[in-house]
mmCIF file of all heavy atoms in Angstrom:
data_model
loop_
_atom_site.group_PDB
_atom_site.id
_atom_site.type_symbol
_atom_site.label_atom_id
_atom_site.label_comp_id
_atom_site.label_asym_id
_atom_site.label_seq_id
_atom_site.Cartn_x
_atom_site.Cartn_y
_atom_site.Cartn_z
ATOM 1 N N PHE B 72 123.237 23.251 74.042
ATOM 2 C CA PHE B 72 122.884 22.265 75.091
ATOM 3 C C PHE B 72 122.658 20.916 74.449
ATOM 4 O O PHE B 72 123.111 19.880 74.901
ATOM 5 C CB PHE B 72 121.597 22.665 75.831
ATOM 6 C CG PHE B 72 121.786 23.681 76.919
ATOM 7 C CD1 PHE B 72 121.958 25.017 76.655
ATOM 8 C CD2 PHE B 72 121.829 23.264 78.250
ATOM 9 C CE1 PHE B 72 122.122 25.936 77.677
ATOM 10 C CE2 PHE B 72 122.019 24.153 79.269
ATOM 11 C CZ PHE B 72 122.152 25.498 78.992
ATOM 12 N N ARG B 82 127.386 8.469 71.414
ATOM 13 C CA ARG B 82 128.636 8.037 72.032
ATOM 14 C C ARG B 82 129.869 8.813 71.529
ATOM 15 O O ARG B 82 130.844 8.230 71.112
ATOM 16 C CB ARG B 82 128.855 6.543 71.826
ATOM 17 C CG ARG B 82 127.843 5.745 72.586
ATOM 18 C CD ARG B 82 128.150 4.283 72.597
ATOM 19 N NE ARG B 82 126.919 3.521 72.776
ATOM 20 C CZ ARG B 82 126.114 3.193 71.768
ATOM 21 N NH1 ARG B 82 126.431 3.517 70.541
ATOM 22 N NH2 ARG B 82 125.014 2.530 72.009
ATOM 23 N N LEU B 104 120.281 34.130 77.932
ATOM 24 C CA LEU B 104 119.708 33.785 79.242
ATOM 25 C C LEU B 104 119.884 34.962 80.239
ATOM 26 O O LEU B 104 118.961 35.280 80.973
ATOM 27 C CB LEU B 104 120.411 32.537 79.781
ATOM 28 C CG LEU B 104 119.923 32.057 81.139
ATOM 29 C CD1 LEU B 104 118.453 31.672 81.113
ATOM 30 C CD2 LEU B 104 120.707 30.904 81.648
ATOM 31 N N VAL B 109 117.813 39.534 83.366
ATOM 32 C CA VAL B 109 117.848 40.984 83.649
ATOM 33 C C VAL B 109 116.500 41.639 83.351
ATOM 34 O O VAL B 109 115.974 42.424 84.140
ATOM 35 C CB VAL B 109 119.004 41.681 82.898
ATOM 36 C CG1 VAL B 109 118.894 43.178 83.001
ATOM 37 C CG2 VAL B 109 120.340 41.209 83.423
ATOM 38 N N PHE B 112 114.195 40.804 86.228
ATOM 39 C CA PHE B 112 114.264 41.483 87.525
ATOM 40 C C PHE B 112 114.129 42.985 87.443
ATOM 41 O O PHE B 112 113.764 43.599 88.405
ATOM 42 C CB PHE B 112 115.421 40.979 88.404
ATOM 43 C CG PHE B 112 116.834 41.411 88.107
ATOM 44 C CD1 PHE B 112 117.201 42.734 88.096
ATOM 45 C CD2 PHE B 112 117.787 40.450 87.897
ATOM 46 C CE1 PHE B 112 118.501 43.097 87.855
ATOM 47 C CE2 PHE B 112 119.125 40.797 87.666
ATOM 48 C CZ PHE B 112 119.472 42.147 87.633
ATOM 49 N N THR B 121 109.331 35.518 92.725
ATOM 50 C CA THR B 121 108.454 34.380 93.008
ATOM 51 C C THR B 121 108.990 33.073 92.466
ATOM 52 O O THR B 121 109.054 32.059 93.187
ATOM 53 C CB THR B 121 107.052 34.626 92.366
ATOM 54 O OG1 THR B 121 106.592 35.906 92.755
ATOM 55 C CG2 THR B 121 106.077 33.560 92.808
ATOM 56 N N PHE B 146 137.252 23.703 79.000
ATOM 57 C CA PHE B 146 138.468 22.958 79.336
ATOM 58 C C PHE B 146 138.819 21.972 78.198
ATOM 59 O O PHE B 146 139.945 21.867 77.788
ATOM 60 C CB PHE B 146 138.298 22.183 80.636
ATOM 61 C CG PHE B 146 138.088 23.061 81.837
ATOM 62 C CD1 PHE B 146 137.666 22.537 83.049
ATOM 63 C CD2 PHE B 146 138.327 24.416 81.775
ATOM 64 C CE1 PHE B 146 137.450 23.358 84.147
ATOM 65 C CE2 PHE B 146 138.134 25.266 82.865
ATOM 66 C CZ PHE B 146 137.703 24.697 84.059
ATOM 67 N N ILE B 159 137.324 12.789 80.523
ATOM 68 C CA ILE B 159 136.548 13.261 81.680
ATOM 69 C C ILE B 159 135.755 14.505 81.334
ATOM 70 O O ILE B 159 134.551 14.605 81.641
ATOM 71 C CB ILE B 159 137.486 13.530 82.871
ATOM 72 C CG1 ILE B 159 138.193 12.230 83.269
ATOM 73 C CG2 ILE B 159 136.718 14.101 84.062
ATOM 74 C CD1 ILE B 159 139.213 12.365 84.367
ATOM 75 N N LEU B 248 112.996 13.470 66.311
ATOM 76 C CA LEU B 248 111.769 14.172 65.946
ATOM 77 C C LEU B 248 110.551 13.354 66.350
ATOM 78 O O LEU B 248 109.597 13.878 66.879
ATOM 79 C CB LEU B 248 111.800 14.385 64.405
ATOM 80 C CG LEU B 248 110.656 15.200 63.852
ATOM 81 C CD1 LEU B 248 110.610 16.580 64.501
ATOM 82 C CD2 LEU B 248 110.788 15.368 62.358
ATOM 83 N N GLU B 272 92.540 24.956 77.092
ATOM 84 C CA GLU B 272 93.052 26.295 76.747
ATOM 85 C C GLU B 272 93.628 26.308 75.361
ATOM 86 O O GLU B 272 93.503 27.289 74.614
ATOM 87 C CB GLU B 272 94.117 26.742 77.741
ATOM 88 C CG GLU B 272 93.542 27.147 79.094
ATOM 89 C CD GLU B 272 94.611 27.422 80.116
ATOM 90 O OE1 GLU B 272 95.731 27.831 79.713
ATOM 91 O OE2 GLU B 272 94.337 27.199 81.313
ATOM 92 N N ALA B 281 96.841 27.368 65.211
ATOM 93 C CA ALA B 281 97.530 27.728 63.950
ATOM 94 C C ALA B 281 98.991 27.323 64.054
ATOM 95 O O ALA B 281 99.563 26.746 63.108
ATOM 96 C CB ALA B 281 97.378 29.194 63.674
ATOM 97 N N LEU B 293 110.613 18.772 56.529
ATOM 98 C CA LEU B 293 111.790 18.510 57.356
ATOM 99 C C LEU B 293 112.334 17.119 57.002
ATOM 100 O O LEU B 293 113.538 16.931 56.829
ATOM 101 C CB LEU B 293 111.406 18.614 58.800
ATOM 102 C CG LEU B 293 112.569 18.678 59.755
ATOM 103 C CD1 LEU B 293 113.313 19.975 59.560
ATOM 104 C CD2 LEU B 293 112.088 18.572 61.184
ATOM 105 N N VAL B 302 121.587 22.796 53.895
ATOM 106 C CA VAL B 302 121.883 23.592 55.107
ATOM 107 C C VAL B 302 120.822 24.622 55.408
ATOM 108 O O VAL B 302 120.212 24.639 56.498
ATOM 109 C CB VAL B 302 123.232 24.335 54.943
ATOM 110 C CG1 VAL B 302 123.538 25.133 56.172
ATOM 111 C CG2 VAL B 302 124.327 23.352 54.619
ATOM 112 N N ILE B 323 98.865 30.306 74.694
ATOM 113 C CA ILE B 323 98.054 29.746 75.779
ATOM 114 C C ILE B 323 98.262 30.505 77.058
ATOM 115 O O ILE B 323 97.336 30.832 77.798
ATOM 116 C CB ILE B 323 98.423 28.257 75.999
ATOM 117 C CG1 ILE B 323 98.153 27.444 74.748
ATOM 118 C CG2 ILE B 323 97.632 27.710 77.178
ATOM 119 C CD1 ILE B 323 98.566 26.029 74.895
ATOM 120 N N VAL B 329 103.166 33.732 85.458
ATOM 121 C CA VAL B 329 103.361 32.622 86.381
ATOM 122 C C VAL B 329 102.018 32.242 86.942
ATOM 123 O O VAL B 329 101.263 33.088 87.443
ATOM 124 C CB VAL B 329 104.284 32.997 87.558
ATOM 125 C CG1 VAL B 329 104.576 31.808 88.411
ATOM 126 C CG2 VAL B 329 105.581 33.603 87.062
ATOM 127 N N VAL B 357 116.852 48.529 73.290
ATOM 128 C CA VAL B 357 116.878 48.878 71.869
ATOM 129 C C VAL B 357 118.281 49.320 71.472
ATOM 130 O O VAL B 357 118.828 48.844 70.454
ATOM 131 C CB VAL B 357 115.861 50.007 71.555
ATOM 132 C CG1 VAL B 357 116.069 50.525 70.133
ATOM 133 C CG2 VAL B 357 114.443 49.447 71.698
ATOM 134 N N SER B 366 127.034 43.293 65.271
ATOM 135 C CA SER B 366 128.234 42.575 65.689
ATOM 136 C C SER B 366 128.006 41.062 65.587
ATOM 137 O O SER B 366 128.904 40.326 65.154
ATOM 138 C CB SER B 366 128.623 42.922 67.124
ATOM 139 O OG SER B 366 128.091 44.106 67.537
ATOM 140 N N TYR B 369 128.247 40.089 62.068
ATOM 141 C CA TYR B 369 129.649 40.043 61.627
ATOM 142 C C TYR B 369 130.311 38.742 62.087
ATOM 143 O O TYR B 369 131.014 38.085 61.333
ATOM 144 C CB TYR B 369 130.352 41.276 62.180
ATOM 145 C CG TYR B 369 131.775 41.418 61.710
ATOM 146 C CD1 TYR B 369 132.091 41.584 60.382
ATOM 147 C CD2 TYR B 369 132.834 41.397 62.631
ATOM 148 C CE1 TYR B 369 133.380 41.743 59.959
ATOM 149 C CE2 TYR B 369 134.132 41.515 62.216
ATOM 150 C CZ TYR B 369 134.399 41.683 60.861
ATOM 151 O OH TYR B 369 135.702 41.832 60.457
#
Side-chain angles (χ1 to χ4, degrees):
Chain B
F72 276 81
R82 292 189 206 85
L104 179 63
V109 170
F112 75 59
T121 309
F146 296 166
I159 297 175
L248 186 58
E272 285 173 29
L293 192 68
V302 181
I323 299 177
V329 185
V357 170
S366 341
Y369 185 62

